Amino acid sequence: MSATILHISFAELCNLERLEHDVIVEIVSHDIVTPIQGELAADWVFEASAVPVIKKAARLANDFEIDWVAVSMMIDLMQQKEALERENAAYRLQLERFIEG
């Protein structure tokens, strides 16, 4: 069984999320997300899973009035935290099974 991967184009992303083109270009130029297709911005295609990251990055830059380097660092730290939380949950589950077993 194959997984379904959803994609969204640059234009669809701008329209759907009401983001300026320049904002998405900045997000990509700081490696916060990477398009899976396209050389020019108008041709970019993103995985749908990139949309929440793009929205979060745009909101951080806007709400806190910080530069894109800081936004990139914050997104990276938040992703690391989420990964550690998932890992911790898996270890807790293993520990519970070990204790019960």
Side-chain angles (χ1 to χ4, degrees):
M1 184 169 160
S2 64
T4 302
I5 299 174
L6 301 176
H7 300 114
I8 186 166
S9 72
F10 180 78
E12 290 170 331
L13 184 60
C14 291
N15 291 333
L16 190 66
E17 298 302 331
R18 296 186 177 104
L19 293 171
E20 296 291 325
H21 293 93
D22 294 346
V23 170
I24 297 174
V25 170
E26 286 290 337
I27 290 169
V28 169
S29 71
H30 286 88
D31 293 324
I32 297 170
V33 297
T34 304
I36 58 170
Q37 225 177 295
E39 293 296 321
L40 302 174
D43 300 327
W44 286 344
V45 175
F46 300 90
E47 286 187 11
S49 61
V51 174
V53 178
I54 291 169
K55 289 171 55 175
K56 193 179 295 184
R59 185 158 183 201
L60 285 169
N62 185 51
D63 290 356
F64 294 109
E65 297 178 0
I66 56 178
D67 65 17
W68 290 107
V69 173
V71 170
S72 179
M73 289 173 50
M74 289 179 71
I75 294 289
D76 185 52
L77 289 171
M78 290 184 334
Q79 289 172 336
Q80 287 180 31
K81 177 186 171 274
E82 290 167 2
L84 288 170
E85 287 173 341
R86 285 190 303 274
E87 186 178 348
N88 189 33
Y91 286 143
R92 284 181 184 268
L93 187 58
Q94 285 180 343
L95 181 61
E96 287 175 14
R97 288 181 186 155
F98 179 74
I99 292 171
E100 290 174 1

